[in-house]
Amino acid sequence: MELQDFINKFSEQFDDTESSVFKPDTHFKELEDWSSLVALSVIAMIDEEYDISLKGDDLLKSDTIQELFECIKKWQMATNFEKLQTAFFK
């Protein structure tokens, strides 16, 4: 998973915000277009694209796109570790 790819997919969830606004250090909750509906779209996109069931707290704790990206990477590592454990101990 690459940061720029994530930023592109993240920006697609916003209807009225120019894609050039989205950078790693963008405080996405401060954007005028941010809403609970966009939050749900972001969570759904993360689930669909990265197979991660993000929790609301994860979104609340993330202020920037970079922080959210890092959170998803941690979830991916934990999920992959669980899969390895399951496969190894079968």
Side-chain angles (χ1 to χ4, degrees), residues 37-81:
L37 186 58
V38 172
L40 290 174
S41 294
V42 167
I43 290 170
M45 177 275 294
I46 292 168
D47 186 33
E48 183 176 314
E49 295 290 330
Y50 303 104
D51 197 26
I52 298 294
S53 297
L54 198 67
K55 309 238 182 306
D57 276 354
D58 296 321
L59 198 56
L60 288 173
K61 291 177 185 175
S62 301
D63 292 321
T64 66
I65 296 173
Q66 175 79 44
E67 289 173 1
L68 184 58
F69 175 76
E70 295 300 327
C71 179
I72 293 164
K73 284 176 58 175
K74 287 178 186 174
W75 275 110
Q76 279 185 323
M77 288 176 24
T79 301
N80 289 340
F81 183 72

Side-chain angles (χ1 to χ4, degrees), residues 3 7 21-28 63-67:
L3 177 57
I7 291 172
V21 169
F22 297 93
K23 308 277 186 233
D25 61 348
T26 299
H27 289 259
F28 58 90
D63 292 321
T64 66
I65 296 173
Q66 175 79 44
E67 289 173 1

Side-chain angles (χ1 to χ4, degrees), residues 8-31:
N8 293 339
K9 290 175 180 165
F10 185 89
S11 71
E12 291 171 0
Q13 310 311 306
F14 291 76
D15 293 331
D16 299 325
T17 305
E18 293 291 321
S19 61
S20 61
V21 169
F22 297 93
K23 308 277 186 233
D25 61 348
T26 299
H27 289 259
F28 58 90
K29 290 181 251 178
E30 295 176 6
L31 297 172

